[in-house]
Amino acid sequence: MLTNYLKTAFRALAKHSAYSAINIFGLALSLSAAILILLWVWDELSYDRMHSKGNRIFQVSTTFDVTSENVWPVGPPPLAVFGQSELPSVEAACRMTNSEASISKPNDNRTFAESGQQVDPSFFHLFDFAWLAGNRQLPFPDNNSIVLTETLARKYFGHEEVLGQTVVLNLDPNNPDGKRNFRVTGVIADFPHNSSIETDFLLPIELLNENREGAGINEEWGSFSYRTFFLLQAGSTPKTVETQLADLHRKNNEAELFKTLVYFLQPLKDIHLYNGKGEERGMQQVRIFAWVALIILLIASINYVNLVTARSTRRSKEVSVRKVVGANRGHLFWQFITESVVVFFIAMCLSIGFAYAAMPLYNSLSGKEMVFSLSDSRVWLLFGGTLLSVVALAGIYPALLLSTFKPAQALKGVLPGIGKNNGFRKALVILQFTCSVVLIIATIIISRQLEYIRKKELGYDKENVFLFNQKNFLSRFEAVRTELVNQPGIKSVTAASGDISNIGSGTGDIEWEGKPASMANFMVYQMAVDHQFLDVMDLKLVEGHGFTGTPSDSGYVILNETAVRQMGLSDPVGKPITFRYRPVTIAGVVKDFHFADLKRTIAPCVLFADATVPLNGMYIKTTGAEAARAIAAVETLWKRYNAEFEFDYQFMDESFDKLYKSDIQAGRLFNVFAGIAILISCLGLFGLVTFTAETKVKEIGIRKTLGASVSHIILLISMDFLKLVGLSFLVAFPLGWWIMNKWLDNYVYRTGIEWWVFAVAGFTAFAIAAVTVCGKSLRAAQENPIKAIRTE
């Protein structure tokens, strides 16, 4: 019996090849799109879930005001030591901090600025990163030990035995004479792409205690620059440990600043998608993509229902003949179910091919390294779930419909229930285009927000400016600047201690006359700058003056408008304050500028000059048209003073875009998948128009015989469907506004949701529907009426 069902199914598909192609293509496209979307979703949800103790590992985040949005994912170095020794709930702790070390092979003049971390030996107790060579229990036998990743080991030593080999590190890039030998004591596998911890090499954190008196970093309760992880005992309550850690800090350091200090323990698995407070950072985006996948599958199932129903009138006589010769309701039911399963199986095979073919481009668009594999059980769960929905929506409904009518009536052309009660189909059209219009609205608003970010006035000029780490330029900065500004293509040169587009350094070491007790936890962002920095970067002074380039600059600071306002200062220029534990004078007030992403409000900021703070970042402003000549000029000078280092620069536009890299990539993907959903919706609408045209064949023929024009026939067929599309706007507009308003809440600085967005979305959806409907209607209207009338 099954063989007969399959033969009949393939014959039916071949006989109606156009319908079959649309059915199969629509399902295959939706399945492959859903697979790709869910691969992205699964990848986002997989971050940091590869560790066996992951459910007990927590990262420390710090704030000095629980009501503030300023939460830093770092803690002071003594916190891990004292927490592990004094809190029973803490099984182990680990600290991490970035290493500025540059690395090279002995007797090799080339030096590479690899990314390194200095960690506690407990790093390998908490985390399950694969150990390829060496002793996991004793990763750092001494302070001259280094652990390399597999890629870095192969880069330096090829296929030689790596353990025991020597590399040369300069722990202080600003000191050319600071090189020393390190012995390779371990090799670990490369960090997975879905790990929030990434580095090329690992060094012992004890290196930081060299040349320090007493307990070294274990006394630095005010140094909040270490990523800190705690492994809690099974059954421990993180909230309780958070309170205990804050109390422990205040017990060891009673500074006024720490009275309101709060620690958060963030689960390891949440680091990628949530901030330290547990508030969503990327999780909303993940949910949106999951919903898009579901909508695409839903629209495809609806599409299939419509197309199968459209064929029902043509198959009524076939079914009637089968009933007359003995087929019962069960036979017919399973015949139609088999056809649905066959269509789905073919579509599934095609979708697998589409997914494999799209993966390279998809990874390029998404910036990920995802792999589509049929061994992934989740893929088969997706196929299984979609098959059930297709069979339920697109198999059972038409199967019951066509297997229940009376053959005698059908042979006479009377088809009860088919073409009469079409409320279900109308609801499907409204649902389809509601989803499509919402996706169009979302596409427009996401694109507008990303464009708004790119064009927003930041308060400084980032155009045609590139930035790099000075290395050996630092010790001869003025001479290098003088030489560079005389080169073609270079307008000006300046320097700062960081990247102005993402200032991450903050301090609470700021006091002023009249500072209220309630502001004991007041924090400011800080960046040391060269005296020409404001002019080169076009930062606007609203009061006072900038730096002069003389030693007296160290006694002055420049505040931004937000700092002045929150500190409650009137006529601030010339007033004394204490900053970084020394008295200084406010030289000027700079107009507020964005030194973080637009998801955060502008915070208080201090620009200062201090000879003890290295200005590692050099900024080169080019003429734009001659940017290539400017880069070449810098590179020539670089080879003179930094021959052992690779020249690695980045234009500030690129640096700025990195802040929104995930948003930009997600926006591109959303546009692609929204387009696919709209295309599949049109296929569904095409199915309903086809259904109507086929049920009105005689009516159309009679109307044309009686003189109806082609335009009248098009209007007759199209109007009902275009009304349904219009009705979908009543649901889609408020739903789209609500969804996108929630999404825009992620941004403090955001574009508005204007009325014309809905007008454009509605017009676009209506135009797409009109082309689809009127195109098919035109074809039906041009049919020979005599042929339609003599069907009997």
Side-chain angles (χ1 to χ4, degrees):
M1 185 66 73
L2 178 60
T3 303
N4 183 57
Y5 288 156
L6 290 172
K7 285 181 179 178
T8 305
F10 280 109
R11 286 173 186 163
L13 293 177
K15 183 178 180 181
H16 305 285
S17 56
Y19 284 104
S20 301
I22 293 173
N23 274 333
I24 291 169
F25 177 75
L27 275 176
L29 188 61
S30 66
L31 281 171
S32 56
I35 288 169
L36 295 176
I37 292 172
L38 291 177
L39 282 176
W40 185 91
V41 169
W42 294 333
D43 185 79
E44 289 290 297
L45 294 175
S46 72
Y47 269 73
D48 299 310
R49 294 176 184 264
M50 69 286 295
H51 306 291
S52 60
K53 305 183 188 77
N55 63 329
R56 295 192 289 127
I57 299 174
F58 296 82
Q59 178 178 258
V60 168
S61 290
T62 306
T63 184
F64 297 92
D65 181 357
V66 75
T67 64
S68 169
E69 63 180 14
N70 291 324
V71 180
W72 290 272
V74 289
L79 190 67
V81 177
F82 284 80
Q84 183 173 349
S85 63
E86 297 189 19
L87 300 184
S89 296
V90 175
E91 179 180 318
C94 174
R95 298 163 297 180
M96 298 176 58
T97 188
N98 292 333
S99 170
E100 299 294 329
S102 56
I103 183 171
S104 63
K105 287 179 66 176
N107 305 317
D108 190 336
N109 291 328
R110 294 176 304 160
T111 300
F112 300 96
E114 314 289 0
S115 169
Q117 292 283 335
Q118 292 177 238
V119 301
D120 285 307
S122 56
F123 178 87
F124 299 103
H125 173 63
L126 271 69
F127 304 106
D128 295 336
F129 298 116
W131 193 272
L132 304 180
N135 183 356
R136 187 185 192 97
Q137 308 305 319
L138 189 62
F140 307 119
D142 54 48
N143 282 357
N144 292 318
S145 304
I146 185 171
V147 174
L148 306 179
T149 57
E150 184 178 16
T151 295
L152 194 59
R154 294 288 166 257
K155 176 178 178 179
Y156 283 102
F157 302 105
H159 295 286
E160 299 176 30
E161 174 61 39
V162 179
L163 286 185
Q165 294 275 13
T166 299
V167 294
V168 179
L169 265 71
N170 185 346
L171 299 176
D172 181 3
N174 301 316
N175 178 14
D177 300 323
K179 295 180 179 179
R180 57 193 268 192
N181 292 339
F182 281 74
R183 181 169 52 91
V184 179
T185 55
V187 179
I188 59 174
D190 292 341
F191 289 83
H193 76 278
N194 57 348
S195 170
S196 63
I197 300 172
E198 291 182 304
T199 190
D200 296 313
F201 63 86
L202 296 165
L203 294 170
I205 204 164
E206 280 302 314
L207 282 168
L208 298 175
N209 285 324
E210 293 183 350
N211 304 320
R212 273 186 167 95
E213 297 179 357
I217 62 173
N218 292 336
E219 293 178 334
E220 297 177 357
W221 286 98
S223 177
F224 291 85
S225 57
Y226 295 76
R227 288 186 74 179
T228 305
F229 296 89
F230 286 103
L231 175 65
L232 302 188
Q233 301 283 0
S236 299
T237 305
K239 287 293 181 186
T240 301
V241 178
E242 289 174 356
T243 303
Q244 292 172 340
L245 289 172
D247 291 340
L248 186 63
H249 189 126
R250 284 186 280 268
K251 174 185 171 184
N252 287 276
N253 190 311
E254 298 178 349
E256 188 73 19
L257 175 66
F258 302 139
K259 286 186 177 180
T260 55
L261 176 138
V262 175
Y263 285 124
F264 296 104
L265 289 182
Q266 184 179 18
L268 179 65
K269 62 182 177 59
D270 290 348
I271 291 174
H272 181 62
L273 297 175
Y274 298 85
N275 68 11
K277 280 186 172 182
E279 299 165 340
E280 289 186 358
R281 187 172 62 183
M283 191 62 199
Q284 187 185 59
Q285 205 161 259
V286 171
R287 286 200 189 95
I288 289 173
F289 270 73
W291 274 108
V292 171
L294 181 63
I295 288 170
I296 287 176
L297 290 175
L298 176 64
I299 291 175
S301 297
I302 292 172
N303 171 17
Y304 188 34
V305 169
N306 291 337
L307 290 175
V308 169
T309 306
R311 288 177 50 201
S312 299
T313 54
R314 291 190 175 182
R315 302 199 64 180
S316 59
K317 291 183 180 179
E318 171 199 335
V319 173
S320 298
V321 171
R322 287 179 180 275
K323 281 193 169 187
V324 169
V325 298
N328 61 34
R329 183 176 176 182
H331 292 152
L332 293 169
F333 178 83
W334 287 110
Q335 176 62 56
F336 287 110
I337 293 297
T338 302
E339 288 184 19
S340 294
V341 172
V342 167
V343 168
F344 180 84
F345 181 77
I346 297 171
M348 183 185 74
C349 293
L350 280 176
S351 71
I352 292 171
F354 289 164
Y356 273 119
M359 282 311 297
L361 177 60
Y362 187 52
N363 277 331
S364 175
L365 285 173
S366 64
K368 291 182 176 289
E369 300 173 12
M370 296 174 288
V371 176
F372 172 57
S373 172
L374 292 178
S375 63
D376 189 337
S377 60
R378 296 171 301 185
V379 172
W380 292 106
L381 285 173
L382 171 66
F383 285 146
T386 308
L387 174 60
L388 289 176
S389 67
V390 166
V391 168
L393 287 173
I396 294 176
Y397 171 65
L400 289 173
L401 195 66
L402 289 172
S403 63
T404 53
F405 62 74
K406 296 177 181 179
Q409 290 179 313
L411 289 171
K412 292 178 182 179
V414 180
L415 303 175
I418 300 180
K420 305 284 186 182
N421 182 16
N422 58 1
F424 179 64
R425 297 184 199 76
K426 288 180 178 179
L428 294 183
V429 171
I430 292 173
L431 177 59
Q432 273 187 316
F433 271 84
T434 295
C435 295
S436 297
V437 174
V438 169
L439 290 175
I440 294 171
I441 291 170
T443 299
I444 294 171
I445 291 175
I446 289 173
S447 298
R448 286 193 74 214
Q449 178 62 21
L450 294 177
E451 188 67 16
Y452 175 82
I453 288 170
R454 288 194 182 97
K455 293 185 176 180
K456 178 140 186 4
E457 178 60 47
L458 299 175
Y460 61 89
D461 183 12
K462 62 182 172 61
E463 298 301 318
N464 304 315
V465 178
F466 64 92
L467 171 67
F468 56 90
N469 193 310
Q470 292 203 59
K471 303 292 186 187
N472 294 332
F473 279 0
L474 188 58
S475 59
R476 49 183 64 84
F477 173 72
E478 287 299 339
V480 168
R481 169 158 52 193
T482 300
E483 188 165 350
L484 285 176
V485 292
N486 291 319
Q487 300 298 318
I490 296 178
K491 292 175 67 175
S492 52
V493 178
T494 189
S497 59
D499 182 349
I500 188 176
S501 66
N502 191 21
I503 299 176
S505 177
T507 180
D509 301 330
I510 183 167
E511 303 289 337
W512 63 94
E513 184 179 350
K515 180 180 180 180
S518 60
M519 296 185 70
N521 56 8
F522 183 71
M523 299 290 294
V524 294
Y525 286 85
Q526 59 179 351
M527 187 168 71
V529 298
D530 163 60
H531 70 280
Q532 294 186 20
F533 188 81
L534 274 69
D535 291 333
V536 174
M537 299 307 298
D538 199 23
L539 287 161
K540 307 296 185 186
L541 279 170
V542 294
E543 289 185 64
H545 60 83
F547 298 116
T548 62
T550 62
S552 63
D553 283 343
S554 62
Y556 292 91
V557 296
I558 296 173
L559 306 181
N560 70 346
E561 291 174 304
T562 296
V564 171
R565 183 172 60 255
Q566 293 189 11
M567 292 165 68
L569 301 177
S570 58
D571 298 323
V573 175
K575 287 189 174 180
I577 64 172
T578 301
F579 178 65
R580 292 166 59 89
Y581 300 112
R582 61 190 180 90
V584 293
T585 301
I586 300 173
V589 178
V590 67
K591 186 177 177 62
D592 276 344
F593 61 96
H594 291 276
F595 53 84
D597 63 54
L598 297 181
K599 295 180 180 179
R600 290 182 283 174
T601 55
I602 294 177
C605 181
V606 178
L607 302 179
F608 66 99
D610 187 338
T612 65
V613 179
L615 306 182
N616 290 316
M618 179 176 277
Y619 295 71
I620 308 289
K621 175 166 280 191
T622 76
T623 57
E626 296 182 293
R629 295 185 68 181
I631 293 168
V634 176
E635 194 163 11
T636 299
L637 202 59
W638 182 270
K639 290 176 181 177
R640 186 190 311 170
Y641 296 115
N642 292 302
E644 70 234 60
F645 297 104
E646 294 177 327
F647 180 49
D648 184 18
Y649 67 92
Q650 187 172 55
F651 274 91
M652 288 204 66
D653 283 337
E654 298 170 359
S655 176
F656 181 77
D657 284 347
K658 275 188 176 180
L659 293 174
Y660 308 97
K661 183 179 179 181
S662 62
D663 289 338
I664 292 169
Q665 289 169 338
R668 289 173 186 160
L669 295 179
F670 187 89
N671 291 345
V672 171
F673 292 121
I676 290 172
I678 293 165
L679 172 62
I680 297 172
S681 292
C682 291
L683 290 176
L685 192 59
F686 179 85
L688 270 187
V689 177
T690 302
F691 173 86
T692 300
E694 290 181 347
T695 57
K696 293 179 179 290
V697 167
K698 288 189 176 64
E699 179 185 345
I700 292 170
I702 293 170
R703 285 179 179 275
K704 287 192 71 177
T705 303
L706 295 176
S709 64
V710 171
S711 59
H712 179 81
I713 300 299
I714 292 174
L715 193 62
L716 170 72
I717 300 173
S718 305
M719 187 53 64
D720 286 344
F721 298 107
L722 296 180
K723 284 179 181 177
L724 296 179
V725 173
L727 283 174
S728 71
F729 298 166
L730 299 179
V731 181
F733 287 172
L735 182 61
W737 178 88
W738 180 77
I739 291 172
M740 295 318 299
N741 197 52
K742 294 285 286 183
W743 182 78
L744 286 171
D745 283 345
N746 288 320
Y747 296 85
V748 173
Y749 303 94
R750 46 179 273 185
T751 184
I753 304 180
E754 309 291 345
W755 66 267
W756 62 261
V757 171
F758 301 98
V760 169
F763 176 79
T764 302
F766 196 83
I768 292 171
V771 170
T772 304
V773 171
C774 295
K776 180 62 185 176
S777 301
L778 177 62
R779 184 176 173 185
Q782 291 175 335
E783 292 286 338
N784 187 337
I786 303 302
K787 181 179 177 182
I789 294 172
R790 70 181 185 185
T791 302
E792 295 294 334

